[in-house]
Amino acid sequence: MHTKEEKLKAFARLLDVQERLRKECPWDSKQTNESLRPNTIEETFELADALLKNDSKNICKELGDIMEHVIFYSTLGEEKAEFDVADVCNAQSDKLMFRHDFIDWTGWSVSRPDMVVNTAGQVVYKDEVLQNSEGSQADAPTTAPQVETTWEQRKQRERDGNTSVLSGVPDSLPSLIKAYRIQDKARNVGFDWEEKEQVWDKVYEELGELKEELKRGDKHRSTEEFGDFLFSLINAARLYHINPDNALEFTNQKFIKRFNYIEEAAKAKGVMIKDLTLAEMDELWEEAKALNK
């Protein structure tokens, strides 16, 4: 592993490389926030794939791509005299220090002129300096869920932050992930089931309502009820500490492997997969299941 000085030198080198590319590369020199956005989304999903596979080599590679994009956007901001990478880093440090009010930041500094480290070692706004504000060392959270709760509470105190608990959930998030984040944020402010087992009554209730609408043949109402049913299932996953997006992707990959087996088996027999009977497909599916185990 590298020393802090080596890490800083490596980061500075990347800054220099990106600066030169912006000046001398025909592609880099014409990029804008709008033109880079699709690439950033693609890079993010590539990182997500590597993380799901726990592929250390590609995690490192894709993190580099994401970091390069952070520096690129910061360069664009600097060109417009709006912000640079130092502003990005300082703002993030200030935010993390502010939200972790149970950490003693005595001796540290903040970059925002309207903030200060108070005598309790907490980052606060200068006009509301408190000797013993909420989240003092005496009642510091000791578990990850407790930290998540205090995180959301502190976010609500940020003057330039989100205006509501759920406003921080991006509109462009995939719907399954968005549902999970919405529910998790609501939990952090106390809006949740008292006992996780209670969620199953809601799941069965939503399933019953969905079945009724499907019987009636009302497409609009069936779509609404199907959404409610999915939302309740995601809620159940959250309560049982299962990431529903990861779970679904594992199932996607499992299905792909088994279906590919059927397709390859059909080719080995000299036929197209569509020419197999359903019984033949089911038999091959069971073979694939056994092999996967």
Side-chain angles (χ1 to χ4, degrees):
M1 294 294 100
H2 298 86
T3 65
K4 184 174 183 179
E5 289 72 21
E6 290 172 329
K7 293 174 184 175
L8 291 172
K9 183 178 180 180
F11 185 72
R13 177 170 174 246
L14 182 56
L15 287 175
D16 291 339
V17 168
Q18 184 58 57
E19 181 180 356
R20 185 170 183 184
L21 289 176
R22 180 64 173 171
K23 292 177 180 177
E24 301 180 26
C25 173
W27 186 88
D28 285 71
S29 62
K30 72 174 187 177
Q31 297 309 309
T32 65
N33 286 339
E34 292 74 23
S35 67
L36 275 177
R37 181 177 179 274
N39 300 72
T40 307
I41 293 171
E42 182 179 345
E43 297 294 355
T44 303
F45 276 106
E46 288 178 357
L47 173 60
D49 285 346
L51 291 169
L52 195 62
K53 297 171 184 175
N54 199 26
D55 184 342
S56 298
K57 181 179 179 180
N58 275 314
I59 289 173
C60 181
K61 171 180 173 292
E62 300 303 339
L63 281 174
D65 290 337
I66 294 294
M67 186 177 296
E68 191 268 341
H69 277 243
V70 171
I71 292 173
F72 208 148
Y73 287 115
S74 299
T75 300
L76 296 176
E78 185 174 2
E79 291 173 355
K80 293 180 283 187
E82 295 174 346
F83 64 90
D84 62 18
V85 72
D87 295 313
V88 173
C89 293
N90 283 328
Q92 184 67 11
S93 294
D94 290 345
K95 179 172 69 176
L96 290 172
M97 292 167 69
F98 179 82
R99 293 185 184 177
H100 290 82
D101 61 324
F102 54 90
I103 301 293
D104 186 354
W105 299 107
T106 301
W108 291 60
S109 62
V110 289
S111 63
R112 286 184 53 154
D114 61 337
M115 284 183 167
V116 68
V117 179
N118 69 6
T119 57
Q122 301 165 324
V123 174
V124 297
Y125 291 99
K126 284 183 178 179
D127 62 358
E128 58 179 27
V129 174
L130 304 175
Q131 296 298 317
N132 292 294
S133 62
E134 80 287 348
S136 63
Q137 308 307 311
D139 55 358
T142 58
T143 66
Q146 289 174 348
V147 171
E148 291 174 355
T149 298
T150 60
W151 176 275
E152 290 297 334
Q153 292 171 348
R154 290 294 285 177
K155 282 178 67 175
Q156 295 306 302
R157 294 177 62 87
E158 290 177 353
R159 296 180 181 178
D160 58 352
N162 299 318
T163 57
S164 68
V165 173
L166 300 182
S167 62
V169 180
D171 291 336
S172 57
L173 267 184
S175 296
L176 192 151
I177 299 174
K178 184 190 292 186
Y180 187 91
R181 293 296 295 136
I182 287 171
Q183 295 169 4
D184 201 42
K185 284 181 174 292
R187 173 190 67 81
N188 286 331
V189 293
F191 190 73
D192 203 2
W193 302 98
E194 292 182 356
E195 301 292 337
K196 63 183 179 182
E197 291 79 11
Q198 295 173 316
V199 74
W200 294 112
D201 289 336
K202 187 63 175 176
V203 171
Y204 299 140
E205 175 190 330
E206 297 296 351
L207 178 59
E209 292 176 1
L210 170 60
K211 286 181 175 179
E212 286 300 315
E213 294 303 332
L214 290 171
K215 286 180 183 178
R216 294 191 181 99
D218 187 323
K219 181 68 175 295
H220 177 72
R221 288 292 301 154
S222 295
T223 300
E224 287 188 353
E225 293 301 339
F226 194 85
D228 291 345
F229 175 60
L230 285 178
F231 196 83
S232 67
L233 274 181
I234 293 168
N235 217 348
R238 177 186 60 82
L239 288 164
Y240 284 86
H241 307 293
I242 296 171
N243 185 297
D245 187 62
N246 288 348
L248 183 58
E249 183 54 26
F250 286 138
T251 296
N252 288 340
Q253 294 302 319
K254 183 167 58 177
F255 184 93
I256 289 171
K257 287 181 180 179
R258 293 176 182 176
F259 193 82
N260 285 346
Y261 179 87
I262 296 174
E263 193 170 17
E264 291 301 320
K267 289 179 182 178
K269 293 180 179 180
V271 298
M272 300 290 289
I273 188 172
K274 65 181 181 62
D275 296 325
L276 295 175
T277 66
L278 183 57
E280 289 173 326
M281 289 186 187
D282 284 339
E283 183 179 349
L284 291 170
W285 179 271
E286 292 301 323
E287 287 181 15
K289 282 178 64 175
L291 287 172
N292 286 342
K293 288 180 181 179

